Amino acid sequence: MLTVLVVILALAFIFKIHVRNKYSYWQTKKIPYVQPHFPLGNAENPFSRKRHFGEWLQMLYLDPDVIKCIIQTDFHHFPDRGFYYNEKDDPLSAHLCVIGGEKWKNLRAMLTPTFTSGKMRMMFDTLLKCTDPMEKSMSEVGEKGLPVDIKDVAARFTTDVVGSCAFGLECNSFESVDAAFRVHGRKIFSPRTKMETLKILFLTASPVWGRRLGLSLFPKESTEFFFNIVKQTVEYRRGNGIHRNDILQILMEVGESDGEHSLTIAEIAAQAFGFFVAGFETSSTTMSFFLYELALNADLQQKVRDEIKLVLGKHAGKVTYEAIMEMKFMDQVISETLRKYPPLSFLTRQCVKNYRHPSHDVEIKTGDMILISLLALHRDPEYFPDPETFDPERFSDENKNSIRPFSYIPFGGGPRGCLGVRFGRLQTKVGLTCLLKNYSFSLNPKSRIPLTFDKYSFILSAEKPIFLNIEKLHAGRA
């Protein structure tokens, strides 16, 4: 009995030393830090959060010069994002956004041609067709005089766009609340239960054990749905000689290429799934915050609409790729929306080779994770005066070059910057153009002011629905 007690006390002592060493990590490096407390360190309790993780992270962020070194200059020390994926048990989780090492490098090189301006132009008509059901739905709602949950409208639109351009399928998100793509999109991005939150924390902290236990990040029924859709579509196209101007076709052509870097069906499905994950929620969130701000700023809304009218007038009233590219003020408003509401409120980088910053006597060791708070950078008055004011003129041709490098990085930067940024901005501009050329928007009393963020959403999203009043514009009033 005494021996057992001695062993227990010894283990408790060893555990105490381990925790003390962990919690004094930054103290020993003489770096300012938030005092940690057992058992969560200096992190907020994930089960009783008072704010979105991105808001909490605002108090802990890096200088833009250090960020430049991490994500660009000394990228070879930080090439990985450190996100959990399980290629064996959950193959769709192993997409370009999360994988690392040589596989990421090879895959990035293979997929970079997917998002050239030429490819965007090729997919434009497919994208534009997705505005038809949105306009029909808005017309029906407008006739009834009802407010709209603008995030729901935007999410249905981007689901249709990404489903059509990545999977080659009509998703029919506006026809039914139970449309399959919309259902699984909600499952993937809906606020997590406490058990799901606990699992994600475990997978983030112990990815090796997560893989050993065969744990999946996304709901199994959702990943199986996407895998089966891709498999069936690829087999059908190959069997019937069908060619379609979309991302799946490009992935198929890469997959059929000769050599060691061709793609399997599982890898094609993973990249299509990654495109859905990266493009659906981020763009719909941007659209909803864009229209929220314009509902509060009627003068800006009219200025965007005037530009739409002017540009479309040059193109026989048609929404074309060239017309969308000419809408410079809309670009400014989107950029300001991404400043104030970056969909990804933080970036991650994982050190793969011990690193010492040239201006700081601090060593970052292999395996260490770096968190970069975009919300903090984008709302720092040192870089963006009066940051709570929505001011698109920050991004005018006259002003944008004065923005401090790496203080504004909504799509990341360096070699791991967002590959799909062109497509994301394109679908956002097309959707907004089709809405604003036909409707004016104002804030409905059901909407919360000031806006608060969903505490448990990975993407920066409004906690409560953003309800907007819509008014159909008649000829001569635009």
Side-chain angles (χ1 to χ4, degrees):
M1 187 69 180
L2 181 60
T3 302
V4 173
L5 181 60
V6 169
V7 170
I8 291 174
L9 290 174
L11 290 174
F13 178 75
I14 292 171
F15 179 72
K16 181 179 179 180
I17 295 297
H18 173 75
V19 171
R20 188 175 67 184
N21 289 340
K22 283 283 188 183
Y23 284 6
S24 61
Y25 180 85
W26 294 113
Q27 182 181 18
T28 58
K29 293 180 179 293
K30 299 180 181 180
I31 297 294
Y33 68 104
V34 176
Q35 184 65 42
H37 300 282
F38 185 81
L40 297 173
N42 51 26
E44 282 190 325
N45 187 332
F47 302 129
S48 58
R49 286 180 183 168
K50 296 180 175 61
R51 50 191 166 174
H52 186 273
F53 179 75
E55 293 178 285
W56 173 82
L57 194 62
Q58 280 186 268
M59 65 179 174
L60 304 168
Y61 76 104
L62 305 173
D63 180 85
D65 292 337
V66 176
I67 293 171
K68 178 182 179 180
C69 288
I70 290 171
I71 69 176
Q72 181 169 293
T73 310
D74 299 315
F75 172 78
H76 58 286
H77 286 271
F78 305 94
D80 295 352
R81 286 195 170 127
F83 287 138
Y84 177 79
Y85 64 94
N86 186 342
E87 196 164 7
K88 177 185 175 184
D89 301 290
D90 186 14
L92 264 63
S93 68
H95 52 79
L96 184 68
C97 296
V98 298
I99 61 173
E102 280 299 307
K103 184 161 187 178
W104 166 79
K105 186 177 180 180
N106 293 332
L107 196 57
R108 174 87 180 199
M110 293 164 65
L111 297 182
T112 294
T114 304
F115 296 99
T116 62
S117 57
K119 292 292 195 301
M120 295 302 99
R121 190 187 301 268
M122 181 184 76
M123 286 186 277
F124 186 80
D125 287 344
T126 302
L127 192 164
L128 186 61
K129 287 178 183 177
C130 295
T131 64
D132 294 340
M134 178 174 67
E135 292 195 60
K136 179 183 177 183
S137 174
M138 291 290 287
S139 177
E140 292 171 353
V141 173
E143 288 176 0
K144 297 176 183 177
L146 299 174
V148 296
D149 175 350
I150 201 60
K151 174 62 184 297
D152 182 62
V153 171
R156 290 171 188 267
F157 168 67
T158 57
T159 298
D160 281 358
V161 169
V162 179
S164 182
C165 291
F167 295 88
L169 298 172
E170 293 185 9
C171 299
N172 303 314
S173 298
F174 284 95
E175 294 182 13
S176 171
V177 294
D178 297 320
F181 268 79
R182 186 78 184 100
V183 168
H184 289 290
R186 282 197 298 265
K187 285 184 178 180
I188 290 168
F189 286 101
S190 62
R192 304 284 182 171
T193 65
K194 289 186 177 181
M195 285 304 297
E196 287 175 324
T197 300
L198 187 61
K199 184 177 79 168
I200 291 172
L201 288 173
F202 173 74
L203 296 178
T204 302
S206 306
V208 174
W209 275 104
R211 294 185 184 103
R212 286 177 180 173
L213 295 171
L215 298 179
S216 301
L217 185 61
F218 299 108
K220 189 173 180 62
E221 64 271 21
S222 294
T223 54
E224 286 182 348
F225 165 79
F226 286 110
F227 176 80
N228 290 331
I229 285 290
V230 170
K231 184 173 184 292
Q232 292 164 12
T233 305
V234 169
E235 290 175 350
Y236 180 77
R237 289 190 189 183
R238 286 175 175 169
N240 294 275
I242 293 174
H243 184 283
R244 198 170 186 268
N245 290 328
D246 57 23
I247 288 169
L248 183 60
Q249 189 69 40
I250 298 170
L251 291 172
M252 288 171 58
E253 291 168 2
V254 171
E256 293 163 356
S257 63
D258 295 329
E260 60 178 321
H261 301 315
S262 60
L263 301 178
T264 65
I265 283 288
E267 289 171 326
I268 291 174
Q271 305 324 309
F273 177 70
F275 183 74
F276 179 83
V277 169
F280 141 66
E281 184 74 0
T282 53
S283 292
S284 63
T285 297
T286 300
M287 288 177 65
S288 62
F289 284 135
F290 179 108
L291 291 170
Y292 168 77
E293 286 289 349
L294 292 198
L296 294 175
N297 297 276
D299 56 333
L300 292 179
Q301 182 177 162
Q302 189 59 48
K303 189 172 180 179
V304 173
R305 189 174 293 110
D306 288 344
E307 180 184 61
I308 292 171
K309 182 180 179 181
L310 177 65
V311 171
L312 294 187
K314 299 176 184 178
H315 294 267
K318 295 181 180 179
V319 179
T320 64
Y321 180 84
E322 291 74 18
I324 291 296
M325 292 299 104
E326 288 179 29
M327 295 179 188
K328 301 301 182 184
F329 186 68
M330 182 182 285
D331 270 323
Q332 291 178 219
V333 182
I334 291 174
S335 294
E336 177 67 349
T337 302
L338 292 169
R339 179 198 68 81
K340 194 172 179 181
Y341 308 101
L344 291 176
S345 61
F346 62 96
L347 303 178
T348 63
R349 292 294 186 270
Q350 187 170 37
C351 183
V352 301
K353 179 182 177 184
N354 288 2
Y355 175 76
R356 191 179 295 274
H357 188 272
S359 302
H360 299 78
D361 188 28
V362 177
E363 185 178 43
I364 300 173
K365 294 189 176 295
T366 299
D368 285 351
M369 286 286 290
I370 308 294
L371 298 181
I372 300 170
S373 174
L374 303 192
L375 201 61
L377 287 166
H378 292 184
R379 295 192 176 200
D380 189 327
E382 180 180 348
Y383 312 129
F384 298 97
D386 195 11
E388 294 301 317
T389 297
F390 189 82
D391 181 11
E393 289 305 314
R394 303 178 200 271
F395 296 93
S396 66
D397 289 339
E398 296 78 17
N399 296 328
K400 64 183 179 183
N401 291 330
S402 65
I403 296 173
R404 182 172 174 178
F406 293 88
S407 67
Y408 177 76
I409 44 176
F411 298 102
R416 285 213 76 143
C418 177
L419 186 60
V421 58
R422 276 196 183 99
F423 187 89
R425 291 191 79 109
L426 181 63
Q427 71 166 337
T428 299
K429 289 182 73 174
V430 168
L432 291 170
T433 296
C434 291
L435 289 173
L436 286 163
K437 74 184 178 71
N438 293 319
Y439 299 94
S440 66
F441 296 88
S442 59
L443 201 66
N444 186 271
K446 292 167 65 176
S447 295
R448 173 182 290 182
I449 300 179
L451 182 148
T452 56
F453 299 125
D454 188 328
K455 304 176 186 66
Y456 294 98
S457 173
F458 179 73
I459 300 295
L460 194 70
S461 304
E463 184 176 27
K464 301 293 183 182
I466 299 174
F467 286 103
L468 300 182
N469 301 318
I470 62 172
E471 182 183 353
K472 177 74 174 178
L473 296 172
H474 303 289
R477 263 208 66 194

